[in-house]
Amino acid sequence: QVQIVESGGGLVQPGGSLTLSCAVSGKITGDYNWAWYSQVSGKQRDVVAHITMNGDTVYGDSVKGRFTISRDNAANTVSLQMNSLVPEDTAVYYCAILGPGIYWGQGIRVTVSS
């Protein structure tokens, strides 16, 4: 059974930084990509950043230049470095594995507020 666990969320002041981490346990067959999504209450879940097995990345327009996604294939982990945070980044962030199936983490809250 595949399990995804996120960590690193919390409260941060505007302009600050946070690093979200995601670890997966269980076996996933075949190649897969990772992604981070964000969701504000009452709105759809939007992709924040995406990284392929080869390390190719794609970012949402609102986070380009501020967030960096990285992965460690050997350790089966992915991270999201979030810099220059603004209140609009406040959301629940979800880690996802995109492979033969889609696996979601439970979500972790990030609050940007003074």
Side-chain angles (χ1 to χ4, degrees):
Q1 183 178 355
V2 174
Q3 281 193 315
I4 299 175
V5 178
E6 300 115 331
S7 61
L11 173 65
V12 63
Q13 292 188 342
S17 298
L18 275 178
T19 301
L20 303 183
S21 298
C22 179
V24 63
S25 60
K27 184 171 178 60
I28 303 175
T29 56
D31 293 340
Y32 54 92
N33 301 326
W34 293 84
W36 285 97
Y37 287 76
S38 67
Q39 187 170 26
V40 176
S41 180
K43 296 189 176 181
Q44 69 178 21
R45 197 171 293 186
D46 293 323
V47 63
V48 173
H50 177 275
I51 186 166
T52 69
M53 284 286 291
N54 296 325
D56 297 323
T57 57
V58 177
Y59 295 92
D61 287 341
S62 65
V63 307
K64 286 179 182 176
R66 300 189 298 123
F67 291 10
T68 303
I69 188 171
S70 59
R71 67 185 291 173
D72 183 333
N73 290 336
N76 246 353
T77 60
V78 68
S79 296
L80 184 68
Q81 176 65 42
M82 311 163 69
N83 297 327
S84 303
L85 285 160
V86 297
E88 290 74 24
D89 295 320
T90 296
V92 176
Y93 286 75
Y94 294 88
C95 177
I97 290 176
L98 313 174
I102 300 177
Y103 303 93
W104 293 97
Q106 79 282 0
I108 191 164
R109 182 168 297 278
V110 171
T111 302
V112 184
S113 174
S114 55

